[in-house]
Coordinates of all heavy atoms in Angstrom, one line a residue:
M190 N 3.6 7.9 -24.7 CA 4.9 8.4 -24.9 C 5.8 7.2 -25.2 O 5.8 6.2 -24.5 CB 5.4 9.2 -23.7 CG 6.8 9.6 -23.7 SD 7.5 10.3 -22.2 CE 6.2 11.2 -21.5
R191 N 6.7 7.4 -26.1 CA 7.7 6.3 -26.4 C 9.1 6.9 -26.2 O 9.4 8.0 -26.5 CB 7.6 5.9 -27.9 CG 6.4 5.1 -28.3 CD 6.5 4.7 -29.7 NE 5.4 3.9 -30.0 CZ 5.2 3.2 -31.1 NH1 6.2 3.2 -32.0 NH2 4.1 2.5 -31.3
I192 N 9.9 6.0 -25.5 CA 11.3 6.4 -25.2 C 12.1 5.2 -25.6 O 11.9 4.1 -25.2 CB 11.4 6.7 -23.8 CG1 10.6 8.0 -23.4 CG2 12.9 7.0 -23.4 CD1 10.6 8.3 -21.9
A193 N 13.1 5.5 -26.5 CA 14.1 4.4 -26.8 C 15.2 4.5 -25.8 O 15.7 5.6 -25.5 CB 14.6 4.6 -28.2
T194 N 15.6 3.3 -25.3 CA 16.7 3.3 -24.3 C 17.4 1.9 -24.4 O 17.0 1.0 -25.1 CB 16.1 3.5 -22.9 OG1 17.2 3.5 -22.0 CG2 15.1 2.4 -22.6
R195 N 18.6 1.9 -23.8 CA 19.3 0.6 -23.7 C 18.9 -0.2 -22.6 O 18.7 0.3 -21.5 CB 20.8 0.9 -23.6 CG 21.7 -0.3 -23.8 CD 23.2 0.1 -23.9 NE 23.8 0.2 -22.6 CZ 24.3 -0.8 -21.9 NH1 24.2 -2.0 -22.3 NH2 24.8 -0.6 -20.7
V196 N 18.8 -1.5 -22.8 CA 18.3 -2.5 -21.7 C 19.6 -3.2 -21.3 O 20.4 -3.7 -22.1 CB 17.3 -3.4 -22.3 CG1 16.9 -4.5 -21.3 CG2 16.1 -2.7 -22.8
S197 N 19.6 -3.4 -19.9 CA 20.7 -4.3 -19.4 C 20.1 -5.1 -18.2 O 18.9 -4.9 -17.8 CB 21.9 -3.5 -18.9 OG 21.5 -2.5 -17.9
E198 N 20.9 -6.0 -17.7 CA 20.5 -6.8 -16.6 C 19.1 -7.5 -16.8 O 18.3 -7.6 -15.9 CB 20.4 -6.0 -15.3 CG 21.8 -5.4 -14.9 CD 21.8 -4.5 -13.7 OE1 21.0 -4.8 -12.8 OE2 22.5 -3.5 -13.7
L199 N 18.9 -8.0 -18.0 CA 17.7 -8.7 -18.3 C 17.5 -10.0 -17.6 O 18.5 -10.8 -17.6 CB 17.7 -8.9 -19.9 CG 16.4 -9.5 -20.5 CD1 15.2 -8.6 -20.2 CD2 16.6 -9.7 -22.0
S200 N 16.4 -10.3 -17.1 CA 16.0 -11.6 -16.5 C 14.6 -11.9 -16.8 O 13.9 -11.1 -17.4 CB 16.2 -11.5 -15.0 OG 15.2 -10.8 -14.3
L201 N 14.1 -13.0 -16.3 CA 12.7 -13.4 -16.5 C 11.8 -12.5 -15.7 O 10.6 -12.5 -16.0 CB 12.5 -14.9 -16.1 CG 13.1 -15.9 -17.0 CD1 12.9 -17.3 -16.3 CD2 12.5 -15.9 -18.3
H202 N 12.3 -11.8 -14.7 CA 11.5 -11.0 -13.8 C 11.6 -9.5 -14.0 O 10.8 -8.8 -13.4 CB 11.9 -11.4 -12.4 CG 11.8 -12.8 -12.1 ND1 10.6 -13.5 -12.0 CD2 12.8 -13.8 -12.0 CE1 10.8 -14.8 -11.8 NE2 12.1 -15.0 -11.8
G203 N 12.6 -9.0 -14.8 CA 12.7 -7.6 -15.0 C 14.0 -7.2 -15.7 O 14.7 -8.1 -16.2
C204 N 14.3 -5.9 -15.7 CA 15.5 -5.5 -16.4 C 15.8 -4.1 -15.9 O 15.1 -3.5 -15.0 CB 15.3 -5.5 -17.9 SG 14.1 -4.3 -18.5
Y205 N 16.9 -3.5 -16.4 CA 17.4 -2.2 -16.1 C 17.3 -1.4 -17.4 O 17.8 -1.9 -18.4 CB 18.8 -2.2 -15.5 CG 19.3 -0.8 -15.0 CD1 18.9 -0.4 -13.8 CD2 20.0 0.0 -15.9 CE1 19.3 0.9 -13.3 CE2 20.5 1.2 -15.4 CZ 20.1 1.7 -14.2 OH 20.5 2.9 -13.8
L206 N 16.9 -0.1 -17.3 CA 16.8 0.7 -18.4 C 17.7 1.9 -18.2 O 17.6 2.6 -17.2 CB 15.4 1.3 -18.6 CG 14.3 0.3 -18.8 CD1 12.9 1.0 -18.9 CD2 14.5 -0.6 -20.0
D207 N 18.7 2.1 -19.1 CA 19.6 3.2 -19.1 C 18.9 4.4 -19.7 O 18.5 4.4 -20.8 CB 20.9 3.0 -19.9 CG 21.7 1.9 -19.3 OD1 21.8 1.7 -18.1 OD2 22.3 1.1 -20.1
M208 N 18.7 5.5 -18.8 CA 18.0 6.7 -19.3 C 18.3 7.9 -18.4 O 18.4 7.7 -17.2 CB 16.5 6.4 -19.4 CG 15.8 5.9 -18.2 SD 14.2 5.2 -18.4 CE 13.4 6.3 -19.5
M209 N 18.5 9.0 -19.0 CA 18.9 10.2 -18.3 C 17.8 10.7 -17.4 O 18.1 11.2 -16.3 CB 19.3 11.3 -19.3 CG 20.6 11.1 -20.0 SD 22.0 11.0 -18.9 CE 22.1 12.7 -18.2
N210 N 16.6 10.6 -17.8 CA 15.4 11.1 -17.0 C 14.5 9.9 -16.8 O 13.4 9.8 -17.4 CB 14.7 12.2 -17.8 CG 15.6 13.4 -18.0 OD1 16.2 13.9 -17.1 ND2 15.8 13.8 -19.3
P211 N 14.8 9.1 -15.8 CA 13.9 7.9 -15.6 C 12.6 8.3 -15.0 O 12.4 9.3 -14.4 CB 14.7 7.1 -14.6 CG 15.7 8.0 -13.9 CD 16.0 9.1 -14.9
F212 N 11.6 7.4 -15.2 CA 10.3 7.6 -14.7 C 10.4 7.5 -13.2 O 11.2 6.8 -12.6 CB 9.3 6.6 -15.2 CG 9.1 6.7 -16.7 CD1 9.6 5.7 -17.6 CD2 8.4 7.7 -17.2 CE1 9.4 5.8 -18.9 CE2 8.2 7.9 -18.6 CZ 8.7 6.9 -19.5
P213 N 9.4 8.0 -12.4 CA 9.4 7.9 -11.0 C 9.1 6.5 -10.5 O 8.5 5.7 -11.3 CB 8.2 8.8 -10.6 CG 8.0 9.7 -11.7 CD 8.4 9.0 -12.9
Q214 N 9.6 6.1 -9.4 CA 9.3 4.8 -8.8 C 7.8 4.6 -8.7 O 7.1 5.5 -8.5 CB 9.9 4.8 -7.4 CG 9.9 3.4 -6.8 CD 10.7 3.3 -5.5 OE1 11.5 4.1 -5.2 NE2 10.4 2.3 -4.7
D215 N 7.4 3.3 -8.9 CA 6.0 2.9 -8.9 C 5.3 3.2 -10.2 O 4.1 2.9 -10.3 CB 5.3 3.4 -7.7 CG 5.8 2.8 -6.4 OD1 6.3 1.7 -6.4 OD2 5.8 3.5 -5.4
T216 N 5.9 3.9 -11.2 CA 5.2 4.1 -12.4 C 5.0 2.8 -13.2 O 6.0 2.0 -13.2 CB 6.1 5.1 -13.3 OG1 6.2 6.3 -12.6 CG2 5.4 5.3 -14.7
Q217 N 3.9 2.6 -13.7 CA 3.6 1.4 -14.6 C 3.9 1.7 -16.0 O 3.5 2.8 -16.5 CB 2.2 0.8 -14.3 CG 2.1 0.2 -12.9 CD 0.8 -0.6 -12.8 OE1 0.1 -0.9 -13.8 NE2 0.5 -1.0 -11.6
V218 N 4.5 0.8 -16.7 CA 4.9 1.1 -18.1 C 4.6 -0.2 -18.9 O 4.5 -1.3 -18.4 CB 6.4 1.4 -18.3 CG1 6.7 2.8 -17.6 CG2 7.3 0.4 -17.8
L219 N 4.6 -0.1 -20.2 CA 4.6 -1.2 -21.2 C 6.0 -1.2 -21.8 O 6.4 -0.2 -22.5 CB 3.5 -1.1 -22.2 CG 3.5 -2.1 -23.3 CD1 3.3 -3.5 -22.7 CD2 2.5 -1.8 -24.4
V220 N 6.7 -2.2 -21.6 CA 8.1 -2.3 -22.1 C 8.1 -3.2 -23.3 O 7.5 -4.3 -23.3 CB 9.1 -2.8 -21.0 CG1 8.8 -4.2 -20.5 CG2 10.5 -2.7 -21.5
K221 N 8.8 -2.8 -24.3 CA 9.1 -3.6 -25.5 C 10.5 -3.7 -25.8 O 11.2 -2.6 -25.9 CB 8.3 -3.1 -26.8 CG 6.8 -3.2 -26.7 CD 6.2 -2.7 -28.0 CE 4.7 -2.8 -27.9 NZ 4.1 -2.4 -29.2
I222 N 11.1 -4.9 -25.9 CA 12.5 -5.1 -26.1 C 12.7 -5.8 -27.4 O 12.1 -6.9 -27.6 CB 13.1 -5.9 -24.9 CG1 12.9 -5.2 -23.6 CG2 14.6 -6.1 -25.1 CD1 13.2 -6.0 -22.4
F223 N 13.5 -5.2 -28.3 CA 13.7 -5.8 -29.6 C 15.1 -6.3 -29.7 O 16.1 -5.7 -29.3 CB 13.5 -4.7 -30.7 CG 12.1 -4.2 -30.8 CD1 11.6 -3.2 -30.0 CD2 11.2 -4.7 -31.7 CE1 10.3 -2.7 -30.0 CE2 9.9 -4.3 -31.8 CZ 9.5 -3.3 -30.9
A224 N 15.2 -7.5 -30.4 CA 16.5 -8.1 -30.8 C 16.3 -8.7 -32.1 O 15.6 -9.8 -32.2 CB 17.0 -9.1 -29.7
G225 N 16.9 -8.1 -33.2 CA 16.6 -8.7 -34.5 C 15.2 -8.6 -34.9 O 14.5 -7.6 -34.7
E226 N 14.6 -9.7 -35.3 CA 13.2 -9.8 -35.7 C 12.3 -10.1 -34.6 O 11.1 -9.9 -34.7 CB 13.1 -10.9 -36.8 CG 13.8 -10.6 -38.1 CD 13.2 -9.4 -38.8 OE1 12.0 -9.2 -38.9 OE2 14.1 -8.6 -39.3
E227 N 12.8 -10.5 -33.4 CA 12.0 -10.9 -32.3 C 11.9 -9.7 -31.3 O 12.7 -8.8 -31.3 CB 12.6 -12.0 -31.5 CG 12.6 -13.4 -32.2 CD 13.0 -14.5 -31.3 OE1 14.1 -14.4 -30.8 OE2 12.2 -15.4 -31.2
F228 N 10.8 -9.7 -30.6 CA 10.6 -8.7 -29.5 C 9.9 -9.3 -28.3 O 9.1 -10.3 -28.5 CB 9.9 -7.5 -30.0 CG 8.5 -7.6 -30.3 CD1 7.5 -7.3 -29.3 CD2 8.0 -8.0 -31.5 CE1 6.2 -7.4 -29.6 CE2 6.7 -8.1 -31.8 CZ 5.8 -7.8 -30.9
F229 N 10.1 -8.8 -27.2 CA 9.5 -9.2 -25.9 C 8.7 -8.0 -25.5 O 9.1 -6.8 -25.6 CB 10.6 -9.5 -24.9 CG 10.0 -9.6 -23.5 CD1 9.5 -10.7 -23.0 CD2 10.1 -8.5 -22.6 CE1 9.0 -10.8 -21.7 CE2 9.6 -8.5 -21.3 CZ 9.1 -9.7 -20.9
H230 N 7.5 -8.2 -24.9 CA 6.7 -7.1 -24.3 C 6.0 -7.6 -23.1 O 5.7 -8.7 -22.9 CB 5.7 -6.5 -25.4 CG 4.6 -7.5 -25.7 ND1 4.8 -8.5 -26.6 CD2 3.4 -7.7 -25.3 CE1 3.7 -9.2 -26.7 NE2 2.8 -8.7 -25.9
A231 N 5.9 -6.6 -22.1 CA 5.2 -6.9 -20.9 C 4.8 -5.7 -20.2 O 5.5 -4.6 -20.3 CB 6.1 -7.8 -20.0
K232 N 3.8 -5.7 -19.3 CA 3.5 -4.6 -18.4 C 4.5 -4.7 -17.3 O 4.9 -5.8 -16.9 CB 2.1 -4.8 -17.8 CG 1.0 -4.6 -18.9 CD -0.3 -4.7 -18.2 CE -1.4 -4.5 -19.3 NZ -2.8 -4.6 -18.7
A233 N 5.0 -3.6 -16.8 CA 6.1 -3.6 -15.8 C 5.9 -2.4 -14.9 O 5.1 -1.5 -15.2 CB 7.4 -3.5 -16.5
K234 N 6.6 -2.4 -13.8 CA 6.5 -1.4 -12.8 C 8.0 -0.9 -12.4 O 8.8 -1.8 -12.2 CB 5.8 -1.9 -11.6 CG 5.7 -0.9 -10.5 CD 4.9 -1.5 -9.3 CE 4.7 -0.5 -8.2 NZ 3.9 -1.1 -7.1
I235 N 8.2 0.4 -12.4 CA 9.5 0.9 -12.0 C 9.7 0.6 -10.5 O 8.8 1.0 -9.6 CB 9.6 2.4 -12.2 CG1 9.3 2.7 -13.7 CG2 11.0 2.9 -11.8 CD1 10.2 2.1 -14.7
I236 N 10.7 -0.2 -10.1 CA 10.9 -0.5 -8.7 C 12.0 0.3 -8.0 O 12.1 0.3 -6.8 CB 11.1 -2.0 -8.5 CG1 12.3 -2.6 -9.3 CG2 9.8 -2.8 -8.8 CD1 12.6 -4.0 -9.0
Y237 N 13.0 0.8 -8.8 CA 14.0 1.7 -8.2 C 14.5 2.7 -9.3 O 14.4 2.3 -10.5 CB 15.1 1.0 -7.5 CG 16.0 0.2 -8.4 CD1 17.2 0.8 -8.9 CD2 15.8 -1.1 -8.8 CE1 18.1 0.1 -9.7 CE2 16.6 -1.8 -9.6 CZ 17.8 -1.2 -10.1 OH 18.6 -1.9 -10.9
V238 N 14.9 3.8 -8.9 CA 15.4 4.9 -9.8 C 16.8 5.3 -9.3 O 17.1 5.5 -8.2 CB 14.4 6.1 -9.7 CG1 14.9 7.2 -10.6 CG2 13.0 5.6 -10.2
Q239 N 17.7 5.5 -10.3 CA 19.0 6.1 -10.1 C 19.0 7.4 -11.0 O 19.1 7.3 -12.2 CB 20.1 5.2 -10.6 CG 20.2 3.9 -9.7 CD 21.3 3.0 -10.1 OE1 21.3 2.6 -11.3 NE2 22.1 2.7 -9.2
P240 N 18.8 8.6 -10.3 CA 18.7 9.8 -11.1 C 19.8 10.0 -12.1 O 21.0 9.7 -11.7 CB 18.7 10.9 -10.0 CG 18.2 10.2 -8.8 CD 18.7 8.8 -8.9
N241 N 19.5 10.4 -13.3 CA 20.4 10.7 -14.4 C 21.1 9.4 -14.9 O 22.1 9.5 -15.7 CB 21.5 11.7 -14.0 CG 20.8 13.1 -13.6 OD1 19.9 13.5 -14.3 ND2 21.3 13.6 -12.5
L242 N 20.7 8.2 -14.4 CA 21.4 7.0 -14.9 C 20.3 6.0 -15.5 O 20.5 5.5 -16.5 CB 22.1 6.3 -13.7 CG 23.3 7.1 -13.2 CD1 23.9 6.3 -12.0 CD2 24.4 7.2 -14.3
G243 N 19.3 5.8 -14.8 CA 18.3 4.8 -15.2 C 17.4 4.3 -14.1 O 17.3 4.9 -13.1
C244 N 16.7 3.2 -14.4 CA 15.8 2.6 -13.5 C 15.6 1.1 -13.7 O 15.9 0.6 -14.7 CB 14.4 3.3 -13.6 SG 13.7 3.2 -15.3
G245 N 15.3 0.5 -12.6 CA 15.1 -1.0 -12.6 C 13.6 -1.2 -12.6 O 12.8 -0.5 -12.0
L246 N 13.2 -2.2 -13.4 CA 11.7 -2.5 -13.4 C 11.5 -4.0 -13.3 O 12.3 -4.8 -13.5 CB 11.1 -1.9 -14.7 CG 11.6 -2.3 -16.1 CD1 11.0 -3.7 -16.5 CD2 11.3 -1.3 -17.1
S247 N 10.3 -4.2 -12.8 CA 9.9 -5.6 -12.6 C 8.7 -5.9 -13.5 O 7.8 -5.1 -13.6 CB 9.4 -5.8 -11.1 OG 8.9 -7.1 -10.9
F248 N 8.7 -7.0 -14.2 CA 7.7 -7.4 -15.1 C 6.4 -7.8 -14.3 O 6.6 -8.6 -13.3 CB 8.1 -8.5 -16.0 CG 9.3 -8.2 -16.9 CD1 10.2 -9.2 -17.1 CD2 9.4 -7.0 -17.5 CE1 11.4 -8.9 -17.9 CE2 10.5 -6.7 -18.3 CZ 11.5 -7.7 -18.5
L249 N 5.3 -7.3 -14.6 CA 4.0 -7.6 -13.9 C 3.2 -8.7 -14.5 O 2.8 -9.6 -13.9 CB 3.2 -6.3 -13.7 CG 3.8 -5.2 -13.0 CD1 2.9 -4.0 -13.0 CD2 4.1 -5.6 -11.5
E250 N 3.1 -8.6 -15.8 CA 2.3 -9.5 -16.6 C 3.0 -9.9 -17.8 O 3.3 -9.1 -18.6 CB 0.9 -9.0 -16.9 CG 0.0 -8.6 -15.8 CD -1.3 -7.9 -16.2 OE1 -1.7 -8.1 -17.4 OE2 -1.8 -7.1 -15.4
V251 N 3.4 -11.2 -17.9 CA 4.1 -11.7 -19.1 C 3.2 -12.8 -19.7 O 3.0 -13.8 -19.1 CB 5.5 -12.2 -18.8 CG1 6.2 -12.6 -20.1 CG2 6.3 -11.1 -18.1
E252 N 2.8 -12.7 -21.0 CA 2.1 -13.7 -21.6 C 3.0 -14.8 -22.1 O 4.2 -14.6 -22.2 CB 1.3 -13.1 -22.8 CG 0.3 -12.1 -22.4 CD -0.4 -11.4 -23.5 OE1 -0.1 -11.7 -24.7 OE2 -1.2 -10.4 -23.3
P253 N 2.5 -16.0 -22.4 CA 3.3 -17.1 -22.8 C 4.3 -16.9 -24.0 O 5.4 -17.3 -23.9 CB 2.3 -18.3 -23.1 CG 1.1 -17.9 -22.3 CD 1.1 -16.4 -22.3
Q254 N 3.8 -16.3 -25.0 CA 4.7 -16.1 -26.2 C 5.8 -15.2 -25.9 O 7.0 -15.5 -26.2 CB 3.8 -15.6 -27.4 CG 4.6 -15.5 -28.7 CD 5.4 -14.3 -29.0 OE1 5.2 -13.2 -28.3 NE2 6.4 -14.4 -29.8
P255 N 5.7 -14.0 -25.3 CA 6.8 -13.2 -24.9 C 7.7 -13.9 -23.9 O 8.9 -13.7 -24.0 CB 6.2 -11.9 -24.3 CG 4.8 -11.9 -24.9 CD 4.4 -13.3 -25.1
L256 N 7.2 -14.7 -23.0 CA 8.0 -15.4 -22.1 C 8.9 -16.4 -22.8 O 10.1 -16.6 -22.4 CB 7.1 -16.1 -21.1 CG 7.8 -16.8 -19.9 CD1 8.5 -15.8 -19.1 CD2 6.7 -17.5 -19.0
A257 N 8.4 -17.0 -23.8 CA 9.2 -18.0 -24.6 C 10.4 -17.2 -25.3 O 11.5 -17.7 -25.4 CB 8.3 -18.7 -25.6
V258 N 10.1 -16.0 -25.8 CA 11.1 -15.2 -26.5 C 12.2 -14.9 -25.5 O 13.4 -15.1 -25.7 CB 10.5 -13.9 -27.1 CG1 11.6 -13.0 -27.5 CG2 9.6 -14.3 -28.2
I259 N 11.9 -14.4 -24.3 CA 12.9 -14.0 -23.3 C 13.7 -15.2 -22.8 O 14.9 -15.2 -22.6 CB 12.3 -13.1 -22.2 CG1 13.4 -12.4 -21.5 CG2 11.6 -14.0 -21.2 CD1 12.9 -11.3 -20.5
G260 N 13.0 -16.3 -22.7 CA 13.6 -17.6 -22.4 C 14.7 -18.0 -23.4 O 15.8 -18.4 -23.0
R261 N 14.4 -17.9 -24.6 CA 15.4 -18.2 -25.7 C 16.6 -17.2 -25.6 O 17.7 -17.7 -25.7 CB 14.7 -18.1 -27.1 CG 14.0 -19.3 -27.5 CD 13.6 -19.3 -29.0 NE 12.9 -18.1 -29.5 CZ 11.6 -18.0 -29.4 NH1 10.8 -18.9 -28.9 NH2 11.0 -16.9 -29.9
W262 N 16.3 -15.9 -25.4 CA 17.4 -15.0 -25.3 C 18.3 -15.3 -24.2 O 19.5 -15.3 -24.3 CB 16.9 -13.6 -25.2 CG 16.2 -13.0 -26.4 CD1 16.2 -13.5 -27.6 CD2 15.4 -11.8 -26.4 NE1 15.4 -12.7 -28.5 CE2 14.9 -11.7 -27.7 CE3 15.0 -10.9 -25.5 CZ2 14.1 -10.6 -28.1 CZ3 14.2 -9.8 -25.8 CH2 13.7 -9.7 -27.2
L263 N 17.7 -15.6 -23.0 CA 18.6 -15.9 -21.9 C 19.3 -17.2 -22.0 O 20.5 -17.3 -21.6 CB 17.7 -15.9 -20.6 CG 17.1 -14.6 -20.2 CD1 16.1 -14.8 -19.1 CD2 18.1 -13.6 -19.9
A264 N 18.7 -18.2 -22.7 CA 19.4 -19.5 -22.9 C 20.6 -19.2 -23.9 O 21.7 -19.8 -23.6 CB 18.5 -20.5 -23.5
L265 N 20.4 -18.4 -24.9 CA 21.5 -18.1 -25.8 C 22.6 -17.3 -25.1 O 23.8 -17.6 -25.3 CB 21.0 -17.3 -27.0 CG 20.2 -18.1 -28.0 CD1 19.5 -17.1 -29.0 CD2 21.1 -19.1 -28.8
A266 N 22.3 -16.4 -24.2 CA 23.3 -15.6 -23.5 C 24.1 -16.5 -22.6 O 25.3 -16.4 -22.5 CB 22.6 -14.5 -22.7
Q267 N 23.4 -17.5 -21.9 CA 24.1 -18.4 -21.1 C 25.0 -19.3 -21.8 O 26.2 -19.5 -21.5 CB 23.1 -19.3 -20.3 CG 23.7 -20.2 -19.3 CD 22.7 -21.0 -18.5 OE1 21.5 -21.1 -18.9 NE2 23.1 -21.6 -17.4
K268 N 24.6 -19.8 -23.0 CA 25.4 -20.7 -23.8 C 26.6 -19.9 -24.3 O 27.7 -20.4 -24.3 CB 24.5 -21.2 -25.0 CG 25.3 -22.2 -25.9 CD 24.4 -22.6 -27.0 CE 25.1 -23.5 -28.0 NZ 24.3 -23.9 -29.1
D269 N 26.4 -18.7 -24.7 CA 27.5 -17.8 -25.2 C 28.5 -17.6 -24.1 O 29.7 -17.7 -24.3 CB 27.0 -16.5 -25.8 CG 28.1 -15.7 -26.4 OD1 28.8 -16.2 -27.2 OD2 28.2 -14.5 -26.0
G270 N 28.0 -17.3 -22.9 CA 28.9 -17.1 -21.8 C 29.7 -18.3 -21.4 O 30.9 -18.2 -21.1
Q271 N 29.1 -19.5 -21.5 CA 29.8 -20.7 -21.2 C 30.9 -21.0 -22.3 O 32.0 -21.5 -21.9 CB 28.9 -21.9 -21.2 CG 28.0 -21.9 -19.9 CD 26.9 -23.0 -20.0 OE1 26.6 -23.6 -21.0 NE2 26.2 -23.1 -18.8
Q272 N 30.6 -20.7 -23.5 CA 31.6 -20.9 -24.6 C 32.8 -20.0 -24.4 O 33.9 -20.4 -24.7 CB 31.0 -20.7 -26.0 CG 30.0 -21.8 -26.4 CD 29.3 -21.6 -27.7 OE1 29.4 -20.5 -28.2 NE2 28.7 -22.6 -28.2
R273 N 32.6 -18.8 -24.0 CA 33.6 -17.8 -23.8 C 34.5 -18.2 -22.6 O 35.7 -17.9 -22.6 CB 33.1 -16.4 -23.6 CG 32.5 -15.9 -24.9 CD 32.0 -14.5 -24.6 NE 31.3 -14.0 -25.8 CZ 31.0 -12.7 -26.0 NH1 31.2 -11.8 -25.1 NH2 30.4 -12.4 -27.1
S274 N 33.9 -18.8 -21.6 CA 34.7 -19.1 -20.4 C 35.3 -20.5 -20.5 O 36.2 -20.8 -19.7 CB 33.9 -19.0 -19.1 OG 32.8 -20.0 -19.1
G275 N 34.9 -21.3 -21.4 CA 35.4 -22.7 -21.5 C 36.3 -22.9 -22.5 O 37.3 -22.9 -23.0

């Protein structure tokens, strides 16, 4: 099953998925996050659920190439945040 959703609170260890009908806690999923031409993918586990709002997940297995992608995204977000506050 595929579900498109908005991602927030992205980190090297997990993220939050905004969704009206989140999966139950402890469900294992394959998450793919797209930004432009790049994408990140990893096996993950739902670690908490907020009914009718979304769920938090923890990445279980992240291969080196997707880890590099998410590292670039986070570095760019940090740089952008510093430019806005400075």
Side-chain angles (χ1 to χ4, degrees):
M190 170 187 329
R191 287 184 181 191
I192 297 176
T194 184
R195 189 172 85 84
V196 176
S197 61
E198 301 178 32
L199 182 63
S200 77
L201 291 174
H202 306 287
C204 64
Y205 186 83
L206 303 177
D207 294 324
M208 51 195 319
M209 290 297 294
N210 298 305
F212 296 110
Q214 187 170 340
D215 296 326
T216 300
Q217 290 194 11
V218 297
L219 174 62
V220 63
K221 290 185 179 182
I222 303 169
F223 294 86
E226 296 294 318
E227 289 189 306
F228 71 94
F229 166 84
H230 66 280
K232 291 182 181 177
K234 181 178 180 179
I235 306 298
I236 56 172
Y237 69 93
V238 176
Q239 295 180 303
N241 301 315
L242 294 175
C244 56
L246 56 86
S247 176
F248 303 137
L249 299 175
E250 298 176 23
V251 183
E252 296 175 4
Q254 190 275 337
L256 187 60
V258 170
I259 200 169
R261 278 194 303 277
W262 291 347
L263 294 173
L265 285 170
Q267 182 178 19
K268 183 179 177 183
D269 185 52
Q271 288 172 348
Q272 288 176 347
R273 289 182 184 191
S274 65

